[in-house]
Amino acid sequence: VIPQVYTGRSHDLLNMLRSRALDVVVTVEPKNDDLYQSRVLFSDTLSFFVKNKRRTSDLNEKQIFELPWIIFKDAKIGENISLLEIIDSLNLKPARQIYVDSFETALDLTISGIGVSILPTRVVQNKRWLQHTALSQGSLINIQNRKIGEVSR
């Protein structure tokens, strides 16, 4: 047997598992299902991050909401609640939103100075991203440590 690795959206991979096309799946969203067992490998905290152009974390709330928010629209929190649902439930209303297809893309755009993103701490601390000049120089900051939720993977 030659092991093979497939990548894709969690939903698609879980369907492949159900149809027995795959034996093991690693996804970013925990689900309880009678057909398979799941184990949380780790959990993480989502926080607001922005490129620190002024070398200060003292952005006020008005400034945070005036910047575009870069959001991974398919991100799920906890028991399958979308990041967009969390933002709506907290009545957070940024002036503009930019939707992306991964946390890594959101991080790249944030490092480029495009706006504010809501990211898992591990994505920001991941070694391969530390090679970005902006992050290694400490110019990407966690805005006032405003945590909005946890994500399990």
Side-chain angles (χ1 to χ4, degrees), residues 44 103-104 107 119-126 129 135 153:
D44 201 350
F103 284 124
E104 289 77 10
L107 177 59
L119 299 167
T121 306
R122 287 187 188 210
V123 170
V124 176
Q125 294 172 343
N126 188 321
W129 294 106
L135 189 56
R153 292 186 179 203

Side-chain angles (χ1 to χ4, degrees), residues 104-123:
E104 289 77 10
T105 302
L107 177 59
D108 272 344
L109 293 175
T110 304
I111 288 170
S112 297
I114 302 294
V116 174
S117 59
I118 302 168
L119 299 167
T121 306
R122 287 187 188 210
V123 170

Side-chain angles (χ1 to χ4, degrees), residues 34-50:
D34 293 338
L35 299 177
Y36 54 84
Q37 297 179 1
S38 67
R39 302 281 186 262
V40 175
L41 300 177
F42 68 88
S43 64
D44 201 350
T45 301
L46 293 172
S47 296
F48 292 92
F49 289 91
V50 67

Side-chain angles (χ1 to χ4, degrees), residues 4 18 30-31 33 47-48 52 66-67 75 79 96 98 101 103 105 119 122 124 128 136-137 141 149-150:
Q4 295 179 340
R18 283 187 194 95
K31 289 190 176 190
D33 192 309
S47 296
F48 292 92
N52 187 5
E66 288 173 350
L67 292 168
E79 290 296 318
R96 291 168 289 171
I98 300 169
D101 61 358
F103 284 124
T105 302
L119 299 167
R122 287 187 188 210
V124 176
R128 74 175 193 205
S136 63
Q137 292 175 351
I141 56 165
E150 290 192 1

Side-chain angles (χ1 to χ4, degrees), residues 62-142:
K62 182 180 178 200
Q63 291 169 316
I64 294 168
F65 284 93
E66 288 173 350
L67 292 168
W69 283 19
I70 304 160
I71 300 169
F72 174 26
K73 66 179 181 175
D74 292 338
K76 303 288 185 187
I77 312 234
E79 290 296 318
N80 239 359
I81 301 168
S82 78
L83 183 52
L84 291 175
E85 289 173 321
I86 296 286
I87 290 169
D88 287 342
S89 73
L90 295 173
N91 202 27
L92 301 174
K93 305 282 186 212
R96 291 168 289 171
Q97 296 180 6
I98 300 169
Y99 299 115
V100 296
D101 61 358
S102 71
F103 284 124
E104 289 77 10
T105 302
L107 177 59
D108 272 344
L109 293 175
T110 304
I111 288 170
S112 297
I114 302 294
V116 174
S117 59
I118 302 168
L119 299 167
T121 306
R122 287 187 188 210
V123 170
V124 176
Q125 294 172 343
N126 188 321
K127 287 183 183 177
R128 74 175 193 205
W129 294 106
L130 287 175
Q131 296 173 13
H132 280 288
T133 306
L135 189 56
S136 63
Q137 292 175 351
S139 61
L140 186 71
I141 56 165
N142 182 334

Side-chain angles (χ1 to χ4, degrees), residues 21-35:
L22 297 176
D23 296 319
V24 176
V25 172
V26 177
T27 68
V28 296
E29 48 194 68
K31 289 190 176 190
N32 294 323
D33 192 309
D34 293 338
L35 299 177

